[in-house]
Amino acid sequence: MPMIQKYLTEKNSLSTILLSFEAFWEKAIIRGDTGLLKKNPDIHGNLHNVLICYYIFPQRIPTLFNLLVYFRQSPSIHYDYLQQKITRFFTRFSKRHGFEWLKGCQNCLIDLFTWLTLTYFESAGQQQPLIVSLIVESNQLFRQDITQRLKDLSFIKLVPFSIHDMADYDFLICSSALLLPKDNSLPYFVFNLFSKNTDHIALYRTLRKHHQQKNISYLLQVEELAF
């Protein structure tokens, strides 16, 4: 590992691929999950070794793939999702100047990168909170009930609303749809602060559904219902 870490501090083809993959992971796979390689030295080392093998001799390694097939007889829905993301990374990266050699072993690298990061993805991906923001009247007496209810939900992260931070939110709760920003594309729930019949259970179920969707696990539920 010290040799690998030293190698990555130097500018070379393999370190460029790995550092670019780490940036892609943070942006497109698990948003905001920084330091994939630093937090997981085993994953880091294995990805590096795989790249070295294919950089020197870009051919499929039969024994390695036979082992993978043996240990992963039935890929999960999480695997399919992660593989699609990693496919996008390598498809784009192999078009860069100086990295054309990736096209000859791209499919193998996609499979291996997926297998090697899958366990971490399945555990870390389930821990992402749903980022929720309120668009309601500023009167504290109106806000305090819904605010407290949301803070009591462990899977929710309640953040102040700003029109400039829309890209950071997963879900909006508003007291009227008229308060939503123009051309809003985020899912939302209208919570009537003045009604005694506000359905807190419906709100909870909606938030839970979107949290599950964010964490991919809803795909497993769909798969189970299909049988």
Side-chain angles (χ1 to χ4, degrees):
M1 281 306 301
M3 292 178 62
I4 293 174
Q5 291 172 349
K6 181 180 179 181
Y7 183 80
L8 276 176
T9 62
E10 305 170 357
K11 189 174 182 179
N12 54 69
S13 295
L14 303 191
S15 65
T16 299
I17 294 171
L18 280 179
L19 293 176
S20 297
F21 179 72
E22 185 174 46
F24 178 81
W25 182 280
E26 175 188 353
K27 181 179 179 181
I29 298 181
I30 299 182
R31 190 175 68 186
D33 183 32
T34 59
L36 168 69
L37 303 181
K38 292 180 181 178
K39 291 188 295 184
N40 302 276
D42 290 340
I43 294 177
H44 187 172
N46 284 323
L47 294 180
H48 179 268
N49 289 339
V50 164
L51 284 174
I52 284 183
C53 291
Y54 283 95
Y55 184 69
I56 297 173
F57 188 65
Q59 298 288 333
R60 190 178 181 90
I61 306 173
T63 303
L64 179 58
F65 273 86
N66 287 339
L67 284 172
L68 289 175
V69 171
Y70 176 79
F71 286 112
R72 287 283 187 177
Q73 296 289 338
S74 302
S76 67
I77 293 294
H78 288 168
Y79 174 88
D80 294 336
Y81 176 89
L82 182 58
Q83 185 186 52
Q84 290 175 10
K85 294 288 187 179
I86 294 177
T87 297
R88 193 173 83 185
F89 170 78
F90 276 105
T91 299
R92 294 180 177 179
F93 205 89
S94 62
K95 296 177 181 178
R96 294 177 58 172
H97 177 70
F99 294 91
E100 295 85 357
W101 62 273
L102 286 170
K103 295 180 180 178
C105 55
Q106 178 174 305
N107 291 337
C108 295
L109 287 173
I110 289 169
D111 286 342
L112 288 169
F113 268 58
T114 304
W115 290 124
L116 291 170
T117 58
L118 180 61
T119 299
Y120 174 75
F121 171 75
E122 288 179 327
S123 59
Q126 301 305 309
Q127 301 169 6
Q128 303 303 301
L130 189 72
I131 310 301
V132 177
S133 192
L134 287 171
I135 310 179
V136 299
E137 286 76 2
S138 59
N139 191 311
Q140 182 61 29
L141 293 175
F142 294 154
R143 298 169 61 95
Q144 62 185 7
D145 179 65
I146 180 62
T147 299
Q148 188 56 54
R149 288 178 184 272
L150 292 173
K151 288 183 177 179
D152 289 341
L153 299 179
S154 61
F155 61 93
I156 292 295
K157 181 178 180 181
L158 186 61
V159 297
F161 176 78
S162 171
I163 191 68
H164 304 294
D165 297 329
M166 291 290 291
D168 297 333
Y169 308 145
D170 297 313
F171 194 88
L172 299 175
I173 297 177
C174 58
S175 55
S176 170
L178 297 175
L179 297 177
L180 292 170
K182 185 179 180 181
D183 301 324
N184 171 62
S185 60
L186 290 173
Y188 65 90
F189 187 95
V190 176
F191 188 92
N192 191 338
L193 298 172
F194 305 103
S195 173
K196 295 182 180 179
N197 298 319
T198 298
D199 194 341
H200 294 88
I201 295 177
L203 173 61
Y204 173 82
R205 288 175 175 170
T206 301
L207 291 171
R208 174 59 78 180
K209 181 188 72 173
H210 285 280
H211 178 250
Q212 291 172 339
Q213 290 176 344
K214 180 177 180 178
N215 287 281
I216 317 303
S217 64
Y218 80 105
L219 291 173
L220 293 177
Q221 296 176 2
V222 173
E223 183 184 42
E224 292 172 358
L225 291 173
F227 287 94

